[in-house]
Amino acid sequence: FKSKWLTYKQIITRAVNKIGERIKKRREYLDLPLNVLAKGVGVSSSLLSQIENAKAFPSLHTIKSIADYLNTSVGALIGE
């Protein structure tokens, strides 16, 4: 029996993918190098790359810092 409902893991994975995509898209739109954004929000370039590529999930504090630095809202990054 295969459920048509998404698992919790699938929901979280999709959310992580979308947040990372939105961060990267906004960063590239602003022509901002990854290392500059990382330094500006106080995370390593490696962690930011992992976030953008859905290999790590940022804390709410990090999402807020990224949104502020990119001059956008948390809602825009999480897809509200």
Side-chain angles (χ1 to χ4, degrees), residues 3-36:
S3 173
K4 66 180 178 179
W5 299 98
L6 296 175
T7 66
Y8 178 75
K9 182 177 179 182
Q10 289 171 320
I11 292 168
I12 296 300
T13 300
R14 288 181 183 188
V16 170
N17 288 341
K18 292 295 183 185
I19 290 171
E21 287 172 14
R22 290 183 183 109
I23 291 169
K24 186 173 185 175
K25 185 176 180 180
R26 179 70 177 166
R27 179 179 62 76
E28 290 176 343
Y29 172 78
L30 296 173
D31 199 28
L32 191 64
L34 186 138
N35 64 321
V36 173

Side-chain angles (χ1 to χ4, degrees), residues 20-70:
E21 287 172 14
R22 290 183 183 109
I23 291 169
K24 186 173 185 175
K25 185 176 180 180
R26 179 70 177 166
R27 179 179 62 76
E28 290 176 343
Y29 172 78
L30 296 173
D31 199 28
L32 191 64
L34 186 138
N35 64 321
V36 173
L37 176 58
K39 186 174 182 179
V41 300
V43 299
S44 68
S45 295
S46 175
L47 176 59
L48 184 56
S49 176
Q50 290 174 13
I51 291 168
E52 287 187 350
N53 292 296
K55 304 293 183 197
F57 191 77
S59 68
L60 186 55
H61 175 77
T62 299
I63 294 171
K64 174 73 169 111
S65 297
I66 291 170
D68 290 346
Y69 200 92
L70 295 177

